[in-house]
Amino acid sequence: MTAHTPAELFASTAPYYAKHRPGYDPDLYTLLADRFRLDGTQRVLDLGTGTGVLALPLAALVGHVIAVDPEPGMLEEGRKLAAERGITNIDWLRGDSTTLPGMDIGPVLLTVMGAAYHWMDRDQVLCDLDRIVQPGGAVVLASGGAPGDLEPAPWLDVITEIRTRYLGPERRAGSGTYTHPKERHQQVLERSPFSHVETARWDRPLTRTVDDVIGYVFSLSYSSPAQLGDKKDAFERDLREVLLAFSPEGRFDEIIRTEAIIATRP
């Protein structure tokens, strides 16, 4: 199998990510607005923004969002979405957690991070953010919760079966494999400058079509078009076939979670 850098994998997922990721529960933004009295004047950093899943909704609540991502394709998708929605108060910057100290971001009230936090040196980035986040501010980690927190929908097993057939049993990441961190984010935060940790969760039902499911699968770095290469079309054909055998009406229901970890200085 051809080796790919994480940047190549994420570049190939960008169009699918923007269209087929469900986004976070609207109650997350209501909580942040209330908790931090967001009134359209604050500055927020979205580190590892991807296509702006967090940045775009937050832009309506604050004065300015700095959206940082290492992958130009992700940033371009984010810019397109912002333009379509008439959002003009987001700066889309190329960079990552390792370049953050030299980026002259300036003070922010909140730093938000989504799934990208898994890929970072989690302890180091929190030390770096201690120099950026204002007094009274916070680090906010948004995710779908830790693996195993929710009972997975049974049709996800069908996807795993086909992915394993094409890509092997391990979740691939670039030229190696991805292992979910054994230590939960809360534990890392509790030894950081942002050691006061609160967690909020919201669960909601989601129904996908077969095209939605396939798009979602291609939005994942470990089943990305780059990872599949010239097997992509065959993979999609086989995946569609087994999904429709599982659900001939093409309806795929699941419960999805939004988990927000809000970490402040004690």
PDB file of all heavy atoms in Angstrom, residues 32-51:
ATOM      1  N   LEU A  32     -21.671  27.867  25.537  1.00  0.00           N
ATOM      2  CA  LEU A  32     -20.493  28.740  25.506  1.00  0.00           C
ATOM      3  C   LEU A  32     -20.901  30.212  25.548  1.00  0.00           C
ATOM      4  O   LEU A  32     -20.250  31.020  26.232  1.00  0.00           O
ATOM      5  CB  LEU A  32     -19.659  28.456  24.255  1.00  0.00           C
ATOM      6  CG  LEU A  32     -19.005  27.075  24.178  1.00  0.00           C
ATOM      7  CD1 LEU A  32     -18.233  26.923  22.884  1.00  0.00           C
ATOM      8  CD2 LEU A  32     -18.105  26.812  25.379  1.00  0.00           C
ATOM      9  N   ALA A  33     -21.965  30.557  24.836  1.00  0.00           N
ATOM     10  CA  ALA A  33     -22.422  31.949  24.838  1.00  0.00           C
ATOM     11  C   ALA A  33     -22.828  32.386  26.241  1.00  0.00           C
ATOM     12  O   ALA A  33     -22.493  33.498  26.680  1.00  0.00           O
ATOM     13  CB  ALA A  33     -23.588  32.119  23.865  1.00  0.00           C
ATOM     14  N   ASP A  34     -23.537  31.511  26.952  1.00  0.00           N
ATOM     15  CA  ASP A  34     -23.988  31.846  28.306  1.00  0.00           C
ATOM     16  C   ASP A  34     -22.835  31.834  29.303  1.00  0.00           C
ATOM     17  O   ASP A  34     -22.688  32.752  30.121  1.00  0.00           O
ATOM     18  CB  ASP A  34     -25.073  30.866  28.758  1.00  0.00           C
ATOM     19  CG  ASP A  34     -26.365  31.011  27.969  1.00  0.00           C
ATOM     20  OD1 ASP A  34     -26.526  32.050  27.289  1.00  0.00           O
ATOM     21  OD2 ASP A  34     -27.199  30.090  28.022  1.00  0.00           O
ATOM     22  N   ARG A  35     -22.019  30.793  29.218  1.00  0.00           N
ATOM     23  CA  ARG A  35     -20.950  30.587  30.198  1.00  0.00           C
ATOM     24  C   ARG A  35     -19.899  31.689  30.115  1.00  0.00           C
ATOM     25  O   ARG A  35     -19.352  32.122  31.137  1.00  0.00           O
ATOM     26  CB  ARG A  35     -20.317  29.216  29.938  1.00  0.00           C
ATOM     27  CG  ARG A  35     -19.087  28.870  30.761  1.00  0.00           C
ATOM     28  CD  ARG A  35     -19.461  28.316  32.105  1.00  0.00           C
ATOM     29  NE  ARG A  35     -18.346  27.654  32.726  1.00  0.00           N
ATOM     30  CZ  ARG A  35     -17.248  28.247  33.204  1.00  0.00           C
ATOM     31  NH1 ARG A  35     -17.120  29.549  33.121  1.00  0.00           N
ATOM     32  NH2 ARG A  35     -16.290  27.531  33.757  1.00  0.00           N
ATOM     33  N   PHE A  36     -19.606  32.160  28.895  1.00  0.00           N
ATOM     34  CA  PHE A  36     -18.528  33.147  28.717  1.00  0.00           C
ATOM     35  C   PHE A  36     -19.052  34.507  28.246  1.00  0.00           C
ATOM     36  O   PHE A  36     -18.278  35.355  27.816  1.00  0.00           O
ATOM     37  CB  PHE A  36     -17.473  32.586  27.752  1.00  0.00           C
ATOM     38  CG  PHE A  36     -16.784  31.377  28.311  1.00  0.00           C
ATOM     39  CD1 PHE A  36     -17.171  30.102  27.923  1.00  0.00           C
ATOM     40  CD2 PHE A  36     -15.799  31.509  29.275  1.00  0.00           C
ATOM     41  CE1 PHE A  36     -16.565  28.976  28.474  1.00  0.00           C
ATOM     42  CE2 PHE A  36     -15.185  30.390  29.828  1.00  0.00           C
ATOM     43  CZ  PHE A  36     -15.575  29.117  29.426  1.00  0.00           C
ATOM     44  N   ARG A  37     -20.374  34.681  28.338  1.00  0.00           N
ATOM     45  CA  ARG A  37     -21.016  35.968  28.022  1.00  0.00           C
ATOM     46  C   ARG A  37     -20.550  36.505  26.672  1.00  0.00           C
ATOM     47  O   ARG A  37     -20.129  37.661  26.536  1.00  0.00           O
ATOM     48  CB  ARG A  37     -20.734  36.984  29.131  1.00  0.00           C
ATOM     49  CG  ARG A  37     -21.319  36.533  30.472  1.00  0.00           C
ATOM     50  CD  ARG A  37     -20.979  37.468  31.592  1.00  0.00           C
ATOM     51  NE  ARG A  37     -21.521  36.970  32.860  1.00  0.00           N
ATOM     52  CZ  ARG A  37     -21.199  37.459  34.049  1.00  0.00           C
ATOM     53  NH1 ARG A  37     -20.323  38.450  34.148  1.00  0.00           N
ATOM     54  NH2 ARG A  37     -21.737  36.974  35.155  1.00  0.00           N
ATOM     55  N   LEU A  38     -20.637  35.651  25.686  1.00  0.00           N
ATOM     56  CA  LEU A  38     -20.212  36.045  24.347  1.00  0.00           C
ATOM     57  C   LEU A  38     -21.187  37.077  23.792  1.00  0.00           C
ATOM     58  O   LEU A  38     -22.394  36.841  23.728  1.00  0.00           O
ATOM     59  CB  LEU A  38     -20.146  34.816  23.434  1.00  0.00           C
ATOM     60  CG  LEU A  38     -19.219  33.686  23.904  1.00  0.00           C
ATOM     61  CD1 LEU A  38     -19.228  32.534  22.909  1.00  0.00           C
ATOM     62  CD2 LEU A  38     -17.795  34.186  24.149  1.00  0.00           C
ATOM     63  N   ASP A  39     -20.656  38.228  23.392  1.00  0.00           N
ATOM     64  CA  ASP A  39     -21.518  39.335  22.987  1.00  0.00           C
ATOM     65  C   ASP A  39     -21.091  39.963  21.656  1.00  0.00           C
ATOM     66  O   ASP A  39     -21.414  41.115  21.363  1.00  0.00           O
ATOM     67  CB  ASP A  39     -21.538  40.410  24.081  1.00  0.00           C
ATOM     68  CG  ASP A  39     -20.147  40.984  24.369  1.00  0.00           C
ATOM     69  OD1 ASP A  39     -19.188  40.646  23.632  1.00  0.00           O
ATOM     70  OD2 ASP A  39     -20.022  41.776  25.324  1.00  0.00           O
ATOM     71  N   GLY A  40     -20.348  39.193  20.867  1.00  0.00           N
ATOM     72  CA  GLY A  40     -19.948  39.711  19.571  1.00  0.00           C
ATOM     73  C   GLY A  40     -18.661  40.507  19.569  1.00  0.00           C
ATOM     74  O   GLY A  40     -18.290  41.094  18.537  1.00  0.00           O
ATOM     75  N   THR A  41     -17.941  40.521  20.692  1.00  0.00           N
ATOM     76  CA  THR A  41     -16.705  41.307  20.755  1.00  0.00           C
ATOM     77  C   THR A  41     -15.455  40.449  20.987  1.00  0.00           C
ATOM     78  O   THR A  41     -14.341  40.939  20.811  1.00  0.00           O
ATOM     79  CB  THR A  41     -16.782  42.350  21.893  1.00  0.00           C
ATOM     80  OG1 THR A  41     -16.887  41.676  23.156  1.00  0.00           O
ATOM     81  CG2 THR A  41     -17.985  43.267  21.717  1.00  0.00           C
ATOM     82  N   GLN A  42     -15.610  39.213  21.377  1.00  0.00           N
ATOM     83  CA  GLN A  42     -14.462  38.409  21.809  1.00  0.00           C
ATOM     84  C   GLN A  42     -13.656  37.869  20.618  1.00  0.00           C
ATOM     85  O   GLN A  42     -14.136  37.809  19.481  1.00  0.00           O
ATOM     86  CB  GLN A  42     -14.937  37.219  22.672  1.00  0.00           C
ATOM     87  CG  GLN A  42     -15.522  37.618  24.003  1.00  0.00           C
ATOM     88  CD  GLN A  42     -16.984  38.045  23.931  1.00  0.00           C
ATOM     89  OE1 GLN A  42     -17.626  37.935  22.886  1.00  0.00           O
ATOM     90  NE2 GLN A  42     -17.513  38.515  25.043  1.00  0.00           N
ATOM     91  N   ARG A  43     -12.418  37.435  20.934  1.00  0.00           N
ATOM     92  CA  ARG A  43     -11.554  36.742  19.969  1.00  0.00           C
ATOM     93  C   ARG A  43     -11.452  35.287  20.385  1.00  0.00           C
ATOM     94  O   ARG A  43     -11.262  34.977  21.563  1.00  0.00           O
ATOM     95  CB  ARG A  43     -10.148  37.352  19.917  1.00  0.00           C
ATOM     96  CG  ARG A  43     -10.122  38.812  19.505  1.00  0.00           C
ATOM     97  CD  ARG A  43      -8.694  39.373  19.507  1.00  0.00           C
ATOM     98  NE  ARG A  43      -7.973  39.023  18.289  1.00  0.00           N
ATOM     99  CZ  ARG A  43      -6.939  38.204  18.219  1.00  0.00           C
ATOM    100  NH1 ARG A  43      -6.465  37.615  19.304  1.00  0.00           N
ATOM    101  NH2 ARG A  43      -6.331  37.968  17.067  1.00  0.00           N
ATOM    102  N   VAL A  44     -11.582  34.385  19.407  1.00  0.00           N
ATOM    103  CA  VAL A  44     -11.554  32.943  19.655  1.00  0.00           C
ATOM    104  C   VAL A  44     -10.587  32.301  18.672  1.00  0.00           C
ATOM    105  O   VAL A  44     -10.550  32.668  17.489  1.00  0.00           O
ATOM    106  CB  VAL A  44     -12.976  32.344  19.492  1.00  0.00           C
ATOM    107  CG1 VAL A  44     -12.930  30.820  19.502  1.00  0.00           C
ATOM    108  CG2 VAL A  44     -13.899  32.847  20.595  1.00  0.00           C
ATOM    109  N   LEU A  45      -9.815  31.324  19.160  1.00  0.00           N
ATOM    110  CA  LEU A  45      -8.929  30.522  18.317  1.00  0.00           C
ATOM    111  C   LEU A  45      -9.541  29.139  18.138  1.00  0.00           C
ATOM    112  O   LEU A  45      -9.898  28.482  19.114  1.00  0.00           O
ATOM    113  CB  LEU A  45      -7.555  30.399  18.980  1.00  0.00           C
ATOM    114  CG  LEU A  45      -6.582  29.361  18.403  1.00  0.00           C
ATOM    115  CD1 LEU A  45      -6.194  29.702  16.969  1.00  0.00           C
ATOM    116  CD2 LEU A  45      -5.328  29.248  19.287  1.00  0.00           C
ATOM    117  N   ASP A  46      -9.678  28.708  16.879  1.00  0.00           N
ATOM    118  CA  ASP A  46     -10.088  27.338  16.569  1.00  0.00           C
ATOM    119  C   ASP A  46      -8.860  26.639  16.004  1.00  0.00           C
ATOM    120  O   ASP A  46      -8.485  26.851  14.848  1.00  0.00           O
ATOM    121  CB  ASP A  46     -11.244  27.340  15.568  1.00  0.00           C
ATOM    122  CG  ASP A  46     -11.728  25.936  15.216  1.00  0.00           C
ATOM    123  OD1 ASP A  46     -11.231  24.968  15.827  1.00  0.00           O
ATOM    124  OD2 ASP A  46     -12.595  25.813  14.337  1.00  0.00           O
ATOM    125  N   LEU A  47      -8.223  25.822  16.827  1.00  0.00           N
ATOM    126  CA  LEU A  47      -6.957  25.173  16.471  1.00  0.00           C
ATOM    127  C   LEU A  47      -7.232  23.788  15.906  1.00  0.00           C
ATOM    128  O   LEU A  47      -7.823  22.944  16.582  1.00  0.00           O
ATOM    129  CB  LEU A  47      -6.066  25.083  17.712  1.00  0.00           C
ATOM    130  CG  LEU A  47      -4.662  24.514  17.513  1.00  0.00           C
ATOM    131  CD1 LEU A  47      -3.869  25.316  16.492  1.00  0.00           C
ATOM    132  CD2 LEU A  47      -3.913  24.481  18.851  1.00  0.00           C
ATOM    133  N   GLY A  48      -6.797  23.564  14.654  1.00  0.00           N
ATOM    134  CA  GLY A  48      -7.162  22.331  13.963  1.00  0.00           C
ATOM    135  C   GLY A  48      -8.575  22.432  13.441  1.00  0.00           C
ATOM    136  O   GLY A  48      -9.378  21.523  13.571  1.00  0.00           O
ATOM    137  N   THR A  49      -8.881  23.550  12.804  1.00  0.00           N
ATOM    138  CA  THR A  49     -10.263  23.882  12.444  1.00  0.00           C
ATOM    139  C   THR A  49     -10.871  22.957  11.411  1.00  0.00           C
ATOM    140  O   THR A  49     -12.086  22.841  11.336  1.00  0.00           O
ATOM    141  CB  THR A  49     -10.336  25.344  11.950  1.00  0.00           C
ATOM    142  OG1 THR A  49     -11.691  25.726  11.774  1.00  0.00           O
ATOM    143  CG2 THR A  49      -9.572  25.546  10.646  1.00  0.00           C
ATOM    144  N   GLY A  50     -10.034  22.299  10.581  1.00  0.00           N
ATOM    145  CA  GLY A  50     -10.613  21.521   9.488  1.00  0.00           C
ATOM    146  C   GLY A  50     -11.340  22.448   8.532  1.00  0.00           C
ATOM    147  O   GLY A  50     -10.807  23.458   8.083  1.00  0.00           O
ATOM    148  N   THR A  51     -12.601  22.134   8.249  1.00  0.00           N
ATOM    149  CA  THR A  51     -13.404  22.964   7.348  1.00  0.00           C
ATOM    150  C   THR A  51     -14.231  23.992   8.117  1.00  0.00           C
ATOM    151  O   THR A  51     -15.152  24.584   7.554  1.00  0.00           O
ATOM    152  CB  THR A  51     -14.328  22.093   6.491  1.00  0.00           C
ATOM    153  OG1 THR A  51     -15.203  21.349   7.358  1.00  0.00           O
ATOM    154  CG2 THR A  51     -13.537  21.133   5.627  1.00  0.00           C
TER     155      THR A  51
END
